[in-house]
């Protein structure tokens, strides 16, 4: 069983489109995250949720909207996609914010 | 603000030799420190952490790390490198307080040559 799974693994789309990435964890963790990894492999947190409540929103454009329907799911919706949004997006979860995080396999988003 | 520095973009070692990947951090309060590894086209995998206690922590795949409070460092080490250790390594710090998040270093690409 995959602990943190995200879909799709690859996403190629045109500028201006709206797309969603789904994430699910079966670890029973309270905290979930979205990270963005750019072409230089730099990792930056985008959002953090704890028990479905938004804890961190790291100066991410409003076009990015996370949604946590329950503790096990954290989805990411992106409106009006731009070329600069091309990156690998990782979902992760942890028991608490200061414990080790478990990462999904990533979603490689390419905006053309 | 909390930060992590990994001064080396790349580290090359010969198989069987010891390896060190460097990390220094800056945080107010007591740090929670982590090392993660990323293999190509994969997500990050947790290797080890320091929370409190013994300054030398042991983790997965024979890796260990030494916490040095005076030097604010948390270097990753392995006594004998394997070719399969070749990957991208990230150091991360959680500082608590207003910085309620995990901050990652830029990563160090480790290449172990046969």
């Amino acid at each position: 069983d995959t602990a943190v799974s995200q879909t799709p693994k690859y996403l190629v789309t045109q500028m201006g489109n709206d797309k969603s990435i789904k994430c699910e964890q079966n670890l029973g963790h309270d905290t979930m995250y979205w990270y963005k990894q750019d072409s230089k492999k730099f990792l930056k947190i985008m959002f953090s949720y704890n028990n479905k409540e938004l804890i961190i929103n790291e100066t991410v454009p409003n076009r990015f909207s996370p949604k946590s329907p329950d503790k096990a799911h954290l989805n990411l919706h992106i409106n009006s996609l731009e070329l600069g949004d091309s990156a690998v997006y990782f979902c992760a979860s942890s028991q608490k914010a200061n414990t080790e995080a478990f990462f999904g396999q990533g979603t490689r988003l390419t905006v053309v | 603000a909390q930060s992590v520095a990994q001064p080396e973009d790349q580290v090359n070692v010969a198989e069987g030799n010891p390896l060190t990947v460097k990390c220094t951090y800056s945080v107010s309060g007591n740090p929670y420190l982590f090392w993660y590894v990323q293999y190509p086209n994969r997500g990050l995998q947790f290797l080890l952490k320091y929370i409190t206690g013994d300054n030398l922590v042991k983790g997965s795949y024979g890796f260990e790390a030494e916490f040095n409070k005076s030097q604010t460092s948390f270097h990753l080490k392995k006594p004998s490198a394997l070719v399969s250790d070749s990957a991208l390594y990230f150091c991360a710090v959680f500082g608590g307080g207003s910085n309620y998040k995990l901050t990652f270093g830029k990563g160090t690409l480790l290449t172990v040559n046969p």
Side-chain angles (χ1 to χ4, degrees), chain A residues 9 35 37 40-43 45 48 55-56 58 90 97-106 108, chain B residues 32 34 36 38 41-46 49 51 88 90 94 99-107:
Chain A
K9 192 170 180 182
Y35 283 87
Q37 186 173 45
K40 294 184 179 179
K41 305 294 186 184
F42 186 67
L43 265 171
I45 191 165
S48 170
I55 302 295
I56 292 170
E58 277 288 298
F90 286 102
N98 60 359
T99 58
E100 59 270 28
F102 292 79
F103 284 75
Q105 296 270 48
R108 184 175 295 278
Chain B
Y32 295 75
F34 303 84
Y36 290 84
Q38 185 179 26
N41 300 314
R42 303 291 298 275
L44 276 71
Q45 294 177 35
F46 167 73
K49 66 181 177 185
I51 306 295
L88 188 57
F90 290 96
F94 177 87
N99 286 305
Y100 205 74
K101 63 182 180 181
L102 198 60
T103 298
F104 284 86
K106 64 179 180 174

Side-chain angles (χ1 to χ4, degrees), chain B residues 45-67:
Chain B
Q45 294 177 35
F46 167 73
L47 274 181
L48 51 78
K49 66 181 177 185
Y50 172 84
I51 306 295
T52 186
D54 196 348
N55 288 345
L56 184 66
V57 293
K58 295 187 185 296
S60 308
Y61 312 121
F63 283 94
E64 56 190 29
E66 187 163 14
F67 171 65

